Amino acid sequence: METSLVPAPLALVTGASSGIGLEIAVRLAELGHDLLVTADDDQLALAADGLTQHGRAVRAVRADLTQAAGVDALVADVAGTGRPLDLLVLNAGVGAGGAFLDVALEDHLRTIALDVVAPVRLAHALLPAMVARGSGRVLVTSSVGALMPGPYYATYAAAKAFDLSFAQALRYELRDTGVTVTALLPGPTDTDFFERADMLDTRVAHGGKDDPADVARQAVDGLLAGDEKVAVRSVRARGQAAAGALLSDGAGAALQARYTEPLRTEEPAEG
């Protein structure tokens, strides 16, 4: 009697060349998922090579998700696998640090394009097949920074607030479809975010940070369980989340500004 082999579940992870995205991909590979990973930097190929050591099929697609053409190419690549997409991890993101008027408009628009427009495009393109199949898991990376106004990275904090609201709204709309949507709210994490966002001259960049592998483990556990939110359980992340829940917008903005405002050269950063 012949037995058919059940293919491994397939996961798409955006922003998978480093940081939380890479660690989520590692964890999913360890748990037996085949991977389609994407980013728009030279580290992607090396990251994909490392992921293959877990014995899963890994396909790397370099795509600029700030552009509609990049999103369309990625969606076409998913379709080209001929396989259903079981997990969709919308993790790619970038920030633009500094006072709003001091930062080039193009940097703000890139933040919005990658952190807001790309997840909307990808969700709109890829969720219908999940809904039609009646199963699927989606993770949207937001941030505890979404819980308060974010001076000195205003478009990033606003984008992450959008991501949180978007994920929660989608979750409600899809509640009877078999598809779940989970929002991830990490705190400051030891990735290259602060360098890429030009925020190395801030207190938050020099303060304590969470291990991205720990964040990824919590994220994947919550994703696979179909949880509504994964609020990272470290002391610093919980403290920031609690402040966001208790403080007025003005007080929250003042608190965030203390950590995100560029330091004067004569002022030492707090460790």
Side-chain angles (χ1 to χ4, degrees):
M1 178 178 178
E2 293 185 358
T3 58
S4 59
L5 295 177
V6 177
L10 178 64
L12 167 61
V13 183
T14 71
S17 61
S18 63
I20 295 172
L22 175 57
E23 294 297 343
I24 287 175
V26 168
R27 183 60 180 151
L28 290 174
E30 291 173 345
L31 294 174
H33 293 74
D34 289 342
L35 297 170
L36 199 161
V37 294
T38 186
D40 187 27
D41 59 57
D42 293 335
Q43 298 180 72
L44 180 63
L46 182 61
D49 285 344
L51 288 166
T52 59
Q53 70 178 324
H54 301 285
R56 306 311 317 168
V58 179
R59 178 170 175 77
V61 179
R62 184 164 181 172
D64 180 1
L65 299 183
T66 67
Q67 303 296 318
V71 173
D72 291 344
L74 179 59
V75 170
D77 218 284
V78 174
T81 67
R83 298 172 57 182
L85 186 64
D86 298 278
L87 302 178
L88 173 59
V89 179
L90 299 172
N91 170 79
V94 69
F100 176 76
L101 295 180
D102 293 342
V103 175
L105 177 61
E106 290 76 13
D107 293 339
H108 291 305
L109 296 179
R110 175 174 171 77
T111 296
I112 295 166
L114 186 59
D115 298 13
V116 174
V117 180
V120 170
R121 288 185 182 277
L122 286 168
H124 202 269
L126 298 173
L127 281 177
M130 287 184 171
V131 171
R133 197 171 68 248
S135 67
R137 298 282 185 267
V138 181
L139 183 74
V140 179
T141 299
S142 177
S143 167
V144 293
L147 304 177
M148 294 179 282
Y152 305 108
Y153 64 161
T155 46
Y156 174 79
K160 291 304 173 181
F162 175 94
D163 290 335
L164 176 58
S165 179
F166 180 57
Q168 292 177 313
L170 277 184
R171 180 182 178 87
Y172 182 85
E173 292 183 16
L174 301 179
R175 66 193 182 282
D176 298 322
T177 67
V179 179
T180 61
V181 183
T182 301
L184 172 64
L185 283 79
T189 305
D190 189 12
T191 70
D192 61 1
F193 169 81
F194 297 101
E195 180 178 1
R196 292 174 64 204
D198 195 21
M199 293 181 66
L200 290 179
D201 59 344
T202 61
R203 288 185 175 86
V204 66
H206 293 274
K209 299 179 185 65
D210 294 325
D211 182 343
D214 290 339
V215 173
R217 280 191 291 270
Q218 295 177 50
V220 171
D221 287 349
L223 170 65
L224 296 180
D227 292 343
E228 176 186 357
K229 286 190 293 188
V230 177
V232 174
R233 294 188 293 270
S234 70
V235 172
R236 62 183 64 87
R238 288 202 307 268
Q240 193 170 352
L246 294 173
L247 297 176
S248 67
D249 287 345
L255 178 62
Q256 284 236 60
R258 174 167 174 76
Y259 294 97
T260 56
E261 182 177 12
L263 296 171
R264 297 187 298 273
T265 55
E266 69 271 13
E267 184 177 1
E270 294 179 355

